[in-house]
């Protein structure tokens, strides 16, 4: 069993990821595609951080959290390599949509990122539940 504090933090971050996905879906349904990709990215980001909490890892930057996730989850083969591409593309489109001038995200692009966020969240939930049920390493 993982330490109680790490488990509580991990579950809180997973709930936050789930809320971000709900907001992304709502934004998408209203045609707010830039906002949908932004919330889709934050779903992925919070989900990543939920697993990092179980390993008592975190970063002060987005890129740092992504690097830690790659090192401890993708490199360790807990996630397929293709998930790294999902993360980096989501980060890139979110930055363009939020900070770029005159950026319009097409519906198809937003739909793809929303779908990727759902896939990512489902996989994180599966891995998190498995990690929570395993004995803690000393």
């Amino acid at each position: 069993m993982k330490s109680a504090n790490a488990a509580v933090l991990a579950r809180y971050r997973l709930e936050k990821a789930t809320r971000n996905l709900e907001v992304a879906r709502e934004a998408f349904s209203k045609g707010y595609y830039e906002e949908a990709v932004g919330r889709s990215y934050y779903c992925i980001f919070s989900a990543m951080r939920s697993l990092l909490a179980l390993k008592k890892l975190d970063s002060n930057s987005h890129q740092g959290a992504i690097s830690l996730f790659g090192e401890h989850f993708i490199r360790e083969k807990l996630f397929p390599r293709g998930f790294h591409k999902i993360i980096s593309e989501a980060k890139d489109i979110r930055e363009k949509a939020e900070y770029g001038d005159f950026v319009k995200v097409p519906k198809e692009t937003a739909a793809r990122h929303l779908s990727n966020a759902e896939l990512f969240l489902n996989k994180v939930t599966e891995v998190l539940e498995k990690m929570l049920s395993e004995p803690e390493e000393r």
Side-chain angles (χ1 to χ4, degrees):
M1 209 55 179
K2 299 295 175 192
S3 75
N5 289 342
V8 168
L9 180 57
R11 289 197 185 282
Y12 170 79
R13 289 177 176 173
L14 191 65
E15 288 172 16
K16 189 173 185 177
T18 301
R19 283 192 314 273
N20 276 308
L21 183 59
E22 290 171 11
V23 172
R25 287 179 181 139
E26 182 69 21
F28 182 85
S29 74
K30 292 181 177 182
Y32 302 147
Y33 304 130
E34 292 77 24
E35 291 77 6
V37 296
R39 289 298 102 195
S40 293
Y41 167 73
Y42 279 107
C43 166
I44 291 169
F45 182 70
S46 293
M48 279 191 310
R49 290 184 69 228
S50 72
L51 290 178
L52 290 174
L54 291 181
K55 291 194 176 247
K56 299 180 176 104
L57 298 169
D58 206 1
S59 174
N60 291 328
S61 72
H62 286 247
Q63 193 55 52
I66 292 167
S67 294
L68 285 170
F69 186 82
E71 180 181 341
H72 292 275
F73 291 93
I74 294 176
R75 190 177 299 152
E76 297 297 322
K77 298 187 177 17
L78 293 169
F79 282 77
R81 282 219 172 282
F83 276 66
H84 190 281
K85 185 176 180 182
I86 288 173
I87 297 164
S88 63
E89 285 182 356
K91 181 178 180 288
D92 289 346
I93 192 73
R94 190 240 356 149
E95 289 172 350
K96 288 175 185 165
E98 288 189 5
Y99 303 119
D101 293 323
F102 306 109
V103 173
K104 287 286 189 191
V105 174
K107 181 179 184 177
E108 299 76 24
T109 300
R112 181 169 45 89
H113 284 284
L114 186 57
S115 177
N116 285 345
E118 291 170 344
L119 175 71
F120 196 90
L121 183 60
N122 288 337
K123 181 64 175 173
V124 165
T125 301
E126 173 189 318
V127 171
L128 185 134
E129 293 303 329
K130 183 176 183 220
M131 288 177 69
L132 286 173
S133 68
E134 292 174 346
E136 189 168 7
E137 295 175 8
R138 304 253 172 213

